Amino acid sequence: MSMAQSPEPLDVDRESTRTGMSKTALKQGFLDNLFYIQGRFREVATPHDLYMAAAYTTRDRILERWIKSAQHYKSNQSRTVCYLSAEFLLGPHLANNLVNLGIVETATEAAHELGLDFDAIIAEEEEPGLGNGGLGRLAACFMDSLSTLQIPSIGYGIRYEFGIFDQTIEDGWQVEKSDNWLRNGNPWEIPRPKIRFPVFYGGYTEQYRDHDDRTRTRWVPAQIIDGVAYDTPILGYGVGNVNLLRLWKAEASESFDFQAFNVGNYYGAVHAKIEAETISKVLYPNDEPEAGKELRLKQQFFFVSCSIQDMIRLQFNTVGPLDSFAEKFVVQLNDTHPSLAVAELMRLLMDEHDMDWDRAWDITHRVFCYTNHTLLPEALETWSVSLFERLLPRHLEIVYEINRHFLDEVRIRFLGDEERVRRMSLIAEDGERRVRMANLAVVGSRAVNGVAALHSELVKTTLFKDFHDFWPDRFHNVTNGVTPRRFMVVANPRLARLISETCGSDDWIRDLGRLRDLEAHAMDSGLHERWHAVKIAAKRDLAAWLKHRTGVLLDPEAIFDVQAKRIHEYKRQHLNLLHIIRCYQRIKQSPNQDMVPRAFIFGGKAAPGYFMAKLIIKLINAVAEVINNDPQINGFIRVVFMPDFNVKNGQHLYPAANLSEQISLAGKEASGTGNMKFSMNGALTIGTLDGANVEIREEVGKENFFLFGMSADEVGQHQREGYRPWEYYARDAELKSDIDLINSGLFSHGDTQLFRPLTDRLVNQDPFMVLADYRAYIACQDHVAEAYRDHQHWTRMSILNVARMGKFSSDRAIREYAEHIWRTEPHPIGL
Ligand code: GPQ
């Protein structure tokens, strides 16, 4: 690459090379950053240098707004939402920040004039994979919406040195590669070495008498580790507001650990440093089931303690005394992972800030709100009392004391109902005694919410029934949403442009309900043609991308049938596979039938220790290999597994999908958010009545949604009556032959045992009732194929899906939190 044209005279002043939005200012800013930050000039710059320069040029413009926001929030003592989350799955920053700054076009032109390939620069960014899946991505969407809605907020989490592993596929199996995302530097974060808090672990507690002769408790820890703040600015769309994502990195605390070692024990001192730093070293890669690992509990306490200490510092810096802490701050607990915060705030208020129990509890229980994200029993966190006590002896005392107060209230309300008391206790007493983090979160919060209407109902009637009986007003629903900035404007610029042209404005980007304006054009054949062209273009792009990475060539005319999400038995990727095998067998039986071509596309990571999920990935790839290479199939159906599904790669997938697979067993998927991302890009959904699918179907209209399978009630009933999967297997000849084909060795070079664990589990246990829903799923897929033949009609349904997705913006979700749960107001920062 070389300089294309000679640049126009760069006569902007210093100020505007940092903050100016003109093409000239961007060019000069870029060249300045390339030289003064990267130490490169144009001729020798690597693609990474160019990316870094572009990132800094963008960041400069964000920082200016950030300062204004921070000053305004401080002088107005603004009420602040603190979103505590062990995961933030942000995705690449650059393109998103350019959209939110409103300078995509200018920046593209500026790059072009400098002779640069802007798409290549954007593709150069490695995403911060600081989350597993839906829960972490939701936190990232919420940060975008909080800023866009101008609500003062801080996201608090962990700056993992290694995020979610990179997935490669070798011989059809998932292979995990460590995600060294910080290797080349992170231009978006600003280290704050002076914002540092000590975090205690282990040791013991003791009582002492203070200067007023009151008995107090003090925690004498065995280990102290420092948490250091790293800040990433989060800019809202088209506003001056920039909020803060503050992630904590663990470091050895010199004041303590080095003293503990003898002078001269240099190795020991270095060892302590290394051990300290392991706390923020790596993200646990389990999506839902919990590992029960000591390091995980240490991580949770680490970021919770730093965050609460930071909030107390901010309280003193802005408002003053702690009495108004619950007016200044509201803390949202993203699942139970940060629920130690309840005990930590109590400890800090009592042990460090002299409050008595009642005053401390009055503040604490008004600060916290808790979001539940799953009903799966294996995903509900508990920690053994012995581990808890060893690591957090003071917190165990506080948990016991909270429990004592709480259970006394329960006893007074439900006289003599000790069974209920046992169920509601913060401590599980059956078998090894364990701390129930979900119960702690409910008791410590003033509001509890589920993430979709059905899920929130089930939270009230099953998981937290006793708590709902006790505190009916504490329970809420806030249906999830996703940000249209990233998942429409950034991911699918062609569609975004077409929508804006059709609606006559781009107001829908900040007010997604405006997509309804598309409905008036849903019958317009001119729009149909353009809509179809946009989809085909995205399919071509994806096909090229997949060809390059997997060698599999897809036909852009085929139905792009996509299932992209973490691999889980409850999400039933294997149900999808059974349909693929059915299609395969049909073609083999009557090769000349008139079938609608389909491309089956999968993406998703399996937890490294989840054997069955990894076997499902292997089976997908094994089926793909046979089908894609069978000359008789001749490309009519193709199967491909997209390696390393993450936010960045997902952005290639959503625009290209025709059909979105949302096929979890009803009652198991709390919400789902991929379902929303696909639908707002014009895919139709094939799905069960699970999670947010229920509401998506309500919004888009049942005639524009492919529904199949049992409802959550029917699932419950079927289970109570006794579910016998082997009867389905014996009774349904096609189902039997699909499963038998897996066992035949066809997909495993003759090995009849390889997939046995999977097929045996389906036939003998089938905890997620794949076999019970098989027949309905196949029939529904046949409807899909028939519907796709009528291109006009399909396109119309696609337009209506997009037109009616307004509800599923994370802006709507955040508005509901702000109004019903947080009681916060916007604080607009002008541009
Ligand atoms: N979810 Cl508990 C996760 O991604 N990880 C978790 O540990 C738990 C839940 C998901 C959940 O499965 C989806 O249905 C939701 O849409 C998502 O959280 C966000 O609420």
Side-chain angles (χ1 to χ4, degrees), residues 133-135 138 287-288 335 373-374 451 480 570 669-673:
L135 173 143
L138 186 77
D287 194 25
E288 304 218 6
D335 214 89
H373 294 267
T374 187
V451 289
N480 283 167
Y570 87 77
E669 188 71 271
S671 163
T673 46

Side-chain angles (χ1 to χ4, degrees), residues 257-270:
D257 280 316
F258 281 72
Q259 268 174 31
F261 291 94
N262 297 329
V263 183
N265 187 359
Y266 178 73
Y267 187 86
V270 172

Side-chain angles (χ1 to χ4, degrees), residues 524-678:
D524 172 352
S525 63
L527 178 62
H528 281 203
E529 231 165 81
R530 297 177 74 193
W531 196 270
H532 180 70
V534 162
K535 183 60 81 179
I536 285 282
K539 289 167 77 173
R540 288 215 176 86
D541 286 354
L542 177 65
W545 193 97
L546 285 170
K547 173 79 179 97
H548 178 66
R549 277 156 183 91
T550 69
V552 179
L553 182 61
L554 303 182
D555 169 10
E557 299 294 331
I559 305 179
F560 276 27
D561 175 338
V562 188
Q563 188 169 19
K565 49 182 79 244
R566 288 296 289 248
I567 312 293
H568 258 288
E569 288 167 279
Y570 87 77
K571 295 176 190 280
R572 303 201 292 191
Q573 279 91 356
H574 39 4
L575 177 57
N576 188 340
L577 267 173
L578 289 176
H579 170 242
I580 297 173
I581 294 171
R582 184 91 307 268
C583 292
Y584 179 60
Q585 300 222 70
R586 281 181 187 163
I587 301 177
K588 296 298 277 186
Q589 277 150 18
S590 28
N592 298 319
Q593 69 176 294
D594 174 28
M595 210 180 153
V596 184
R598 270 212 216 213
F600 296 96
I601 304 166
F602 291 87
K605 295 176 185 176
Y610 187 175
F611 169 71
M612 206 54 82
K614 292 180 122 175
L615 195 58
I616 290 173
I617 292 180
K618 172 66 179 173
L619 181 57
I620 293 169
N621 285 304
V623 168
E625 193 189 315
V626 168
I627 291 181
N628 297 346
N629 293 308
D630 185 332
Q632 225 180 355
I633 297 304
N634 197 18
F636 248 96
I637 55 175
R638 284 256 149 96
V639 184
V640 60
F641 189 93
M642 170 193 255
D644 205 32
F645 175 61
N646 55 16
V647 177
K648 186 177 177 180
N649 294 336
Q651 288 173 193
H652 297 287
L653 224 37
Y654 302 116
N658 298 117
L659 187 66
S660 155
E661 298 273 349
Q662 306 300 336
I663 60 178
S664 52
L665 176 65
K668 299 295 178 194
E669 188 71 271
S671 163
T673 46
N675 45 7
M676 303 166 188
K677 296 165 196 167
F678 280 109

